[in-house]
Every structure is written in C-alpha cells, then in structure tokens.
Amino acid sequence: MDTAEAAVAMTTKLRIATYNVHKCKGMDGRVRPERVARVMLRLDADVIAAQEVLGPQAEALADGLAGAGYRFSFGENRKIAGVSYGNATFSRLTVEMARNYDVSIGERERRGVLRTDVVTAEGVVHVFNAHLGTSYGERGRQAQCLLAEGLLLDRAIGKRRVVCGDFNEWVRGRCSRALAREFQSARPRRSYPGVLPLLALDHIYFDSKLALERHWVFRERLGLLASDHLPLLADFRV
C-alpha cells in the first residue's frame, strides 16, 4: 500500500441522514413512530437529523433505535397542544455536546437549529439539524442568523461542519446561495412528497474537510409511506 492508499484507509467513514418525519404521520394518514423507527434503522446512518418531531415521539423513536446503539438530543422550538415540538438528532457515535439555537423571525412560526457534536476517530464533527421557514423573506433572514459568529461561524467550531435538514427551498433561493458561499453542497435530490417526490426541500451542506462519496434518497417501500418526506443520505470520508 502506497502513502496515498494508506491515507485513504485511515480516514473515517461517516453516514449522515436528514429526515422530516412529519410528526410520524405517514402518507396513509396513520401516526406510527414505530414505522418511522424501522425506516431509520434501514438507513444504517451514523447520525440521523430528524425534523417535525414531537417530544414523546422522540422518546418512542429512541426506544425503537436503542438496540442499534442510538442516543438522541432534542431541540424544542415550540409547543403543540402543550407538547414539545422541534428537531431531534439520533447518533450512534459519542455525543460531546448538544445545543439548540433559535432562528425564529418575528411573528412567524418558531424555528430552530439543533447542533450536535459527534466524536469520530478523526475528531469532532459538528452536525446542525435545521428546519427553516416557508416564507422566502423569512429564509433570507434565517440565513443571516445561521451565518453568524454565534452559530455556524463560531470561532470555537472547527471546519468539520455539516448543515442538513428541511430548508423549504426547492429552488436556489437566498438561503441556498448564502450557504453555498461558505459550504459545499450535495446536489439536490427530490424528496417531497413521499410517494411521488417532485421537490428538493431537504439539503446537506458540508465543509471541505469532509469528502462526499455519494448521496441519495431512500426509496424503499416502507419509506414511501412513513412520512411525507423521504430520507436524504450522504456518505463522507472525514
């Protein structure tokens, strides 16, 4: 094995998935967290960033994933009928820290970005799990919130960042253009709506220290029914 081959062999493989689980309500109208958990297990991802999760559902999903070694962090953005609601990140890697950031704009729906720092053999990778607004102007202002020194541009954070989630942008909008100036991007894949995906709402952005090997949409039958989004996955070398 020459030097180049040895360097590749020593790198860490990392699979990250982003999945809007739609409160675990499937395309058949049924709310079934156990079905979503089965889809998550099929992804075989090291980190799964989930959006639109109710707090009790995060616990139920964690129970369904516990046998595979996953633990979760939860970022509450608001209450629905008195129940916490937000983003959840599931990891089978050691989690060094987790923190939720408020990126809400004015009187629009409360939105957040959940940061989870996971430990790999090559060092810490910072995964940001985002669910942005549905308004064009709102997303533009949220891009400014994201690309601030207190969040993605925090000087204490290294250059192993992954920003993923449901950005609610199916064209190259203000947020996409802003993030593209700081990160590389996996080419958009159509992931919504589930049975017949027409729009690329889910995205994965990453630093150059992460080498993208491939990315794809999970299209197995169970995934077509479990939510109104399909999971988007990316394999990296760290």
Side-chain angles (χ1 to χ4, degrees):
M1 181 181 295
D2 63 24
T3 303
E5 290 174 334
V8 171
M10 290 172 63
T11 58
T12 298
K13 301 286 188 176
L14 180 67
R15 176 173 294 177
I16 292 179
T18 179
Y19 188 17
N20 184 325
V21 301
H22 190 47
K23 306 183 192 70
C24 296
K25 183 177 182 180
M27 298 297 285
D28 56 2
R30 298 179 180 179
V31 178
R32 295 179 59 186
E34 72 282 358
R35 177 170 59 183
V36 173
R38 293 204 307 273
V39 173
M40 288 180 165
L41 285 172
R42 292 289 298 153
L43 303 180
D44 191 29
D46 299 298
V47 181
I48 305 170
Q51 303 86 43
E52 291 195 29
V53 187
L54 294 168
Q57 292 176 344
E59 297 280 355
L61 292 170
D63 289 343
L65 296 170
Y70 287 91
R71 299 293 184 270
F72 80 99
S73 50
F74 184 76
E76 179 183 320
N77 298 325
R78 63 187 178 99
K79 301 282 189 183
I80 295 181
V83 177
S84 59
Y85 170 79
N87 302 331
T89 300
F90 300 82
S91 174
R92 60 187 182 190
L93 301 174
T94 299
V95 174
E96 187 174 78
M97 69 88 74
R99 176 182 174 184
N100 199 46
Y101 298 83
D102 186 359
V103 293
S104 306
I105 302 298
E107 298 301 316
R108 304 288 299 182
E109 179 182 329
R110 311 311 294 170
R111 300 281 180 173
V113 177
L114 176 61
R115 167 186 165 188
T116 304
D117 294 353
V118 298
V119 181
T120 75
E122 302 301 318
V124 174
V125 175
H126 311 278
V127 180
F128 293 85
N129 177 1
H131 188 196
L132 301 189
T134 55
S135 162
Y136 179 84
E138 178 187 12
R139 289 193 301 274
R141 293 172 65 186
Q142 285 173 331
Q144 296 175 353
C145 294
L146 286 168
L147 293 169
E149 289 190 2
L151 213 161
L152 291 177
L153 301 187
D154 188 334
R155 294 178 182 179
I157 298 177
K159 292 292 187 178
R160 291 191 181 98
R161 299 164 297 175
V162 176
V163 188
C164 60
D166 179 359
F167 288 81
N168 274 311
E169 279 196 334
W170 55 93
V171 295
R172 191 172 173 83
R174 292 173 64 185
C175 188
S176 298
R177 293 194 300 270
L179 288 172
R181 289 192 289 270
E182 177 71 17
F183 298 95
Q184 298 184 41
S185 172
R187 184 172 178 270
R189 305 289 191 191
R190 295 177 181 178
S191 55
Y192 176 88
V195 174
L196 183 63
L198 300 173
L199 303 176
L201 301 184
D202 306 286
H203 301 278
I204 298 176
Y205 298 88
F206 56 95
D207 273 314
S208 58
K209 284 192 175 182
L210 298 165
L212 180 66
E213 291 190 327
R214 64 172 183 141
H215 68 291
W216 70 103
V217 171
F218 181 82
R219 297 184 183 276
E220 291 187 11
R221 184 176 183 276
L222 186 64
L224 296 177
L225 290 175
S227 171
D228 64 346
H229 284 244
L230 299 177
L232 177 66
L233 300 100
D235 280 349
F236 296 99
R237 295 194 316 274
V238 183

